[in-house]
Amino acid sequence: MVSNSPIRVGIIGLSTSAKTSWASSAHLPYLKDCKGKYIITALCNTSVTSAKTAIDSYGLPSTTKAFGDAKDLAADPDVDLVVCCTRVDTHYETIKPAIEQGKAVFVEWPLGSNLKQAQELNELTRQKNVESMVGLQGRLSPIVLKVKSLVEDGRIGKVLSTNVVADGGTASRDSLKEGLKYFTQKEVGGNIVTIGFGHMIDNITHVLGKFSSFHTQLGIQRPKVDILSPSNTVLETVTNNVPDHILLHGVLTSGALASVHFRRGQAFRNSPGFIWRIHGSLGEIKVTASGPAVSVGDPVTVIEVDDFEKETVETVEWKWADELPVMARNVGRLYEAFAKGEGYPDFGDAVKGHQFLEDVLRDSK
């Protein structure tokens, strides 16, 4: 959305009482320090009172409007871009009014609870001719872009294969904080398959291209999950219906072979939780990090290149270009790209991601 004036933003889900803090930790830091590219003009929470409390708590201008209904925010003529940071199973009903009003929209990933919702939202943006953006911010991560440039510059020659071993998605293998209880409920649409694995696989295919074919094996190896209070007291033990192990083997459109093993929880003690190798005809790239959440930005990520001819291993430098909090840096890059009008993932990309994940789940049955 190229504009000579600041883009006026209405945020849905920036709350002081939210059980997860993604809006305040990933979106707000950039929007409050964006050098005039954006201005927050409205907030919408479950009530007007909640929105007013958030406006005061986060130090937003007193002119910021408070809404308790997404339809009212969508109708506000002083909002250009509506940003949805609510739980995934409310995305569809929350953002649809904004699209119907012709507003530009930014929705966190996953776009919807399922493929059908994503398709309907994407089709509506096309009908209404509105700009859309989805929170696949890993594509703009300096880590992902560095690896992509190494591949495209021919540092390792023709890509022959890639393999990934990843541990993560949640902080613990057998428990979840109360606010993430829905990660055990596949029908909600937000879980380690759609979020943790989904972000990771999007980063990988952004670098190496899509899968032309694949097979998967999914398993629920820990069917019981403890739900913890903020003080780590076990509140209840619930049955989990979301796979906690994902094995994927396939062929990329380039002809390269691919193998991915993703499991929920902590990595082997004192070891990387993410190891990604890209094997080429002339060399190999290895990326290691504490976990697979490159879309957020792991500051201890290491990129190495093994040059077969020179028989040397080079550590490739990468760096952040800004001083925002880590969780906000890649999201900030999405906002920057949107303001320039190019280089950001939209709802069409989201539909492709949803389709892939649905195929993963279907193939494993």
Side-chain angles (χ1 to χ4, degrees), residues 137-138 141 143-144 203 274 276 287 289 291-298 301 320 330:
Q137 65 271 8
S141 162
I143 301 165
V144 172
N203 295 334
F274 180 69
W276 177 19
V287 183
V294 176
S295 56
V296 176
D298 187 340
T301 301
W320 297 107
N330 291 332

Side-chain angles (χ1 to χ4, degrees), residues 168-285:
T170 60
S172 170
R173 64 182 68 89
D174 51 15
S175 65
L176 290 167
K177 291 293 188 180
E178 185 180 10
L180 292 178
K181 177 182 175 181
Y182 67 93
F183 269 36
T184 66
Q185 303 161 338
K186 188 165 63 173
E187 61 277 9
V188 171
N191 51 66
I192 69 152
V193 177
T194 58
I195 298 176
F197 177 79
H199 273 293
M200 184 191 75
I201 209 73
D202 187 72
N203 295 334
I204 293 166
T205 55
H206 185 61
V207 171
L208 298 176
K210 303 297 184 182
F211 282 84
S212 59
S213 64
F214 64 86
H215 297 287
T216 60
Q217 182 66 57
L218 279 62
I220 301 175
Q221 303 298 84
R222 296 177 183 274
K224 298 295 183 180
V225 177
D226 290 336
I227 304 302
L228 306 180
S229 71
S231 61
N232 291 325
T233 300
V234 177
L235 300 174
E236 60 178 320
T237 299
V238 300
T239 299
N240 169 47
N241 68 358
V242 176
D244 50 30
H245 283 65
I246 305 169
L247 304 178
L248 183 152
H249 303 280
V251 181
L252 302 178
T253 53
S254 66
L257 304 179
S259 171
V260 180
H261 182 189
F262 183 101
R263 67 173 171 84
R264 185 171 82 82
Q266 305 97 317
F268 189 92
R269 201 172 308 278
N270 300 321
S271 298
F274 180 69
I275 304 173
W276 177 19
R277 298 179 187 272
I278 307 172
H279 183 71
S281 58
L282 302 177
E284 186 168 8
I285 298 169

Side-chain angles (χ1 to χ4, degrees), residues 27 30 38 106 108 133-140 328-340 342-345:
H27 288 257
Y30 171 82
Y38 295 86
F106 177 8
E108 272 301 333
M133 182 162 62
V134 68
L136 292 171
Q137 65 271 8
R139 297 186 183 193
L140 300 182
R329 292 175 182 178
N330 291 332
V331 174
R333 285 176 171 79
L334 283 180
Y335 280 111
E336 287 283 323
F338 192 74
K340 294 176 183 176
E342 60 183 13
Y344 56 86

Side-chain angles (χ1 to χ4, degrees), residues 106-126:
F106 177 8
V107 180
E108 272 301 333
W109 173 262
L111 177 54
S113 289
N114 50 55
L115 174 62
K116 183 176 183 292
Q117 288 186 357
Q119 290 172 327
E120 290 182 6
L121 290 174
N122 181 50
E123 181 58 29
L124 188 58
T125 62
R126 293 161 67 95

